[in-house]
Amino acid sequence: MIGSDPIHCSVLAIDQATLDPAAALTFVSDPAFGGLDLFVGKVRSHNQGREVVGVSYDIHRSLALTVFRQFADEVRGQFGPRIKLYVAHACGRLGIGEIAVVVAAGTPHRDQAFGACRALIEAVKHRAPIWKQEHFADGDSAWSEGCALCGEEPGQKMSDPC
Amino acid sequence: MIVQLALFGAFRDLHREPTLLLEVSGDTVSAVRASFAAHLLGQGHAERSALIRASAFASDQALLHDTEAIPADGRLAILPPVSGG
């Protein structure tokens, strides 16, 4: 019994709400689904040999919500149509261990759930308008280099993963 | 024309406000890219030219290629390489 909208997309300001993996599992659950897969991305305490004390996420909110749904539609086309998908990303400064992103997929069987969840988080990481600034223990901060969406070079595709 | 350019990621460090009003000679996204590059050069940020070349532009709802027209409302965003998750 898949509901009217089997896709949930959100961007949450960290000072107003926290990401909730349990809510994601509830959303993708369905009596007809035997497989649920959940990905939770947290802020870790190190990167490339440097101690990290926090991460700030900057997000183009309206465009992010649009592309989250586009990614989910792509995943639904690949693994659905019997599927529910959930994606939520935090915006603002997070401390070590705090949740930055939650992605979940519910499907009749585990293969589709694993595949769909993986495909969705990879799209979010590589193609969504989100920027990560790491704050280091020595007081320095740096924006992660990331993946180019499309530059000025002719022939570059918007969806090329990095 | 004057465009309102929203800044994200590393570009936020270069301007006090989240948006920049930019005089653009032309009506395509490529003209915005060139004007922004010239603006940063004038501000002493020549080191950002490679980042501008690697960046995308977008309206509130879609990415825009360099050959596309500037949105009618004059509002767009520059998106440096992304790093979510």
Side-chain angles (χ1 to χ4, degrees), chain B residues 2-78:
Chain B
I2 301 291
V3 303
Q4 181 174 310
L5 185 65
L7 308 174
F8 290 94
F11 289 123
R12 283 201 190 268
D13 296 340
L14 306 180
H15 191 62
R16 289 181 183 173
E17 305 296 329
T19 60
L20 172 70
L21 293 179
L22 194 63
E23 175 79 40
V24 175
S25 301
D27 55 9
T28 62
V29 171
S30 64
V32 179
R33 187 187 299 276
S35 294
F36 186 55
H39 170 80
L40 290 190
L41 194 61
Q43 297 290 312
H45 296 298
E47 80 285 356
R48 297 295 184 175
S49 58
L51 186 61
I52 295 173
R53 287 197 299 274
S55 295
F57 286 81
S59 67
D60 276 350
Q61 295 299 319
L63 293 175
L64 301 169
H65 279 296
D66 269 41
T67 54
E68 293 187 70
I70 296 170
D73 63 3
R75 298 172 57 186
L76 67 172
I78 184 166

Side-chain angles (χ1 to χ4, degrees), chain A residues 83-137:
Chain A
I83 192 169
K84 290 183 179 179
L85 297 164
Y86 182 103
V87 55
H89 205 293
C91 184
R93 179 160 177 159
L94 281 71
I96 302 304
E98 290 192 286
I99 299 173
V101 60
V102 173
V103 171
T107 61
H109 304 287
R110 69 183 182 280
D111 274 354
Q112 302 103 308
F114 280 133
C117 190
R118 179 65 185 261
L120 190 51
I121 183 58
E122 294 298 336
V124 170
K125 286 186 73 72
H126 296 144
R127 295 161 53 197
I130 300 171
W131 299 270
K132 176 164 54 180
Q133 185 184 38
E134 290 174 306
H135 306 292
F136 300 103

Side-chain angles (χ1 to χ4, degrees), chain A residues 10 12-23 86 88-91 94 98-100 102:
Chain A
S10 58
L12 299 177
I14 197 64
D15 58 348
Q16 296 176 356
T18 55
L19 275 65
D20 184 357
Y86 182 103
H89 205 293
C91 184
L94 281 71
E98 290 192 286
I99 299 173
V102 173

